[in-house]
Amino acid sequence: MSSYSDSYKAAGVDVTAGYRAVELMKKHVARTMTSGVMDTIGGFGGLFELDLEGIERPVLVSGTDGVGTKLKLAFLMDRHDTVGVDCVAMCVNDVVCCGAKPLVFLDYIALGKNIPEKVADIVSGVAEGCVQAGCALSGGETAEMPGFYAEDEYDLAGFTVGVVDKAKILDRERVCSGDVILGVSSSGVHSNGFSLVRKVFDITSKEALDRFYPEIGCSLGECLLTPTKIYVKSVLSLLEQVKVKSISHITGGGFYENIPRALNDRVTAHIDKAAVPVLPIFRLIQKEGNISEHDMFNTFNMGVGMCIIVAPDDADRATEILRLAGEQVTRIGAIVPRKESEIEIC
């Protein structure tokens, strides 16, 4: 007998919709399968066999995050195939800052009403993010929670595990005065600061997102829903060829909170404000919201998704490798002896 409950359905949970969603997402999950995956979707746990060839002392690195209130834009635009990329990006971009290669990813989707096609769209984005990161979508969970979420809303979070040889873990203690800070360009606002963005543009309806802004060359919604850039493959390629000192993923808290996380207490990061490749969307946000420059750099990535610290002799080579990997790279600052603050932007 197939699993089915009239009573549960009357309470707002349709288990058959969950089964339908799993069937629809299988083709997306299949795109992410790597050689270590040992099981198929639908079991109680995702199995992954570690290939430790060339790794003397393996260290597992984990990361978890969500998409945040950027999801509100997806709801208004009824577009759900991009936020999954954001979810993956926020996790895998963090673990690669340690020098780790992401291996597996799991997602968690909680929603008010399980519409299988919508769930499949969400998972298609998650799968795309996993493909970009080179990791497997080894499992996940979809939870229908009527009365907790509105019928047309959901939350999306994820979790990743990567591996790095202990001897190759990036150590901020190696950062020293004279090192160079390379800024790797972002694809836009990524997945941080959207509570402020929604306030600035008074985003409460689709009409606000449909508005065309000449400054950005497209509608506001199209620009803001651009997925977070995933840097994993580019950074891993760089790590194989250059001795990177430290890496910072520029997420919530912008420059002021994230760059110091890549530093030790003997140095300060000096950022040349004029060298930062500020994207038009950030100029627009600052103008429309009358936001101070400090608050912009303390909230958004400003056009720089990753900061990579290398020795001055390695800066040109690192830039070349990253550009060959398809990244836009700018030398945005340098490491100087410790001053009053961990970071100065001027």
Side-chain angles (χ1 to χ4, degrees):
M1 179 179 177
S2 299
S3 176
Y4 180 78
S5 171
D6 285 323
S7 299
Y8 210 7
K9 187 173 183 180
V13 178
D14 184 355
V15 294
T16 60
Y19 304 146
R20 171 67 176 155
V22 170
E23 287 302 314
L24 290 176
M25 71 177 70
K26 280 185 176 180
K27 63 181 180 181
H28 303 301
V29 176
R31 296 181 56 214
T32 75
M33 292 298 98
T34 60
S35 59
V37 177
M38 296 180 61
D39 201 2
T40 58
I41 190 170
F44 286 96
L47 305 180
F48 191 90
E49 182 178 12
L50 283 173
D51 179 2
L52 298 179
E53 183 178 355
I55 301 178
E56 295 183 3
R57 300 182 66 184
V59 175
L60 297 180
V61 182
S62 58
T64 186
D65 210 337
V67 181
T69 63
K70 184 175 184 176
L71 291 175
K72 288 282 190 181
L73 280 62
F75 303 158
L76 290 171
M77 296 179 70
D78 194 24
R79 183 176 178 187
H80 311 283
D81 61 344
T82 64
V83 290
V85 179
D86 291 298
C87 188
V88 176
M90 298 307 292
C91 298
V92 298
N93 284 344
D94 277 356
V95 301
V96 81
C97 288
C98 299
K101 172 181 170 54
L103 299 174
V104 295
F105 186 86
L106 290 89
D107 61 358
Y108 176 78
I109 306 168
L111 31 67
K113 182 177 178 59
N114 190 336
I115 301 173
E117 292 74 16
K118 179 186 286 188
V119 173
D121 275 349
I122 298 169
V123 174
S124 74
V126 176
E128 173 59 28
C130 288
V131 169
Q132 292 182 25
C135 64
L137 179 54
S138 62
E141 176 69 15
T142 302
E144 190 172 16
M145 302 169 65
F148 195 88
Y149 294 96
E151 283 198 358
D152 60 347
E153 295 191 354
Y154 56 86
D155 198 7
L156 174 62
F159 175 85
T160 192
V161 176
V163 66
V164 60
D165 197 322
K166 188 173 183 179
K168 296 181 179 180
I169 296 174
L170 298 187
D171 183 0
R172 63 186 180 181
E173 289 300 317
R174 298 170 185 163
V175 177
C176 60
S177 179
D179 287 342
V180 172
I181 305 173
L182 301 176
V184 187
S185 293
S186 69
S187 56
V189 183
H190 284 183
S191 299
N192 305 106
F194 273 87
S195 294
L196 178 55
V197 170
R198 290 186 299 115
K199 180 178 184 294
V200 166
F201 294 103
D202 191 23
I203 300 174
T204 57
S205 67
K206 187 174 183 295
E207 285 71 26
L209 294 169
D210 287 340
R211 182 177 175 184
F212 180 89
Y213 287 87
E215 298 96 320
I216 56 178
C218 61
S219 71
L220 181 63
E222 182 181 353
C223 179
L224 294 177
L225 266 194
T226 301
T228 305
K229 189 167 183 57
I230 292 176
Y231 301 97
V232 170
K233 292 181 180 179
S234 299
V235 170
L236 290 178
S237 175
L238 176 65
L239 293 174
E240 290 177 354
Q241 303 175 69
V242 171
K243 189 173 182 179
V244 174
K245 298 285 192 79
S246 192
I247 301 177
S248 176
H249 181 203
I250 310 301
T251 57
F255 281 49
Y256 283 100
E257 288 191 17
N258 290 291
I259 292 178
R261 295 168 64 183
L263 307 176
N264 54 59
D265 60 8
R266 300 183 301 278
V267 298
T268 287
H270 173 83
I271 303 297
D272 179 2
K273 184 173 58 181
V276 176
V278 178
L279 294 174
I281 182 59
F282 297 111
R283 306 280 190 201
L284 180 62
I285 292 169
Q286 184 173 13
K287 181 184 73 172
E288 293 289 322
N290 191 28
I291 301 171
S292 71
E293 185 175 75
H294 175 275
D295 286 356
M296 290 296 295
F297 276 92
N298 206 164
T299 306
F300 302 107
N301 68 64
M302 300 301 287
V304 175
M306 281 271 186
C307 285
I308 298 177
I309 301 173
V310 296
D313 290 346
D314 291 325
D316 289 343
R317 176 64 175 148
T319 299
E320 177 187 7
I321 292 167
L322 288 167
R323 287 177 177 167
L324 286 174
E327 307 293 351
Q328 297 179 28
V329 187
T330 307
R331 189 178 298 204
I332 63 169
I335 302 299
V336 299
R338 187 57 176 263
K339 299 185 179 182
E340 290 185 6
S341 60
E342 299 168 301
I343 179 172
E344 57 180 15
I345 303 175
C346 53

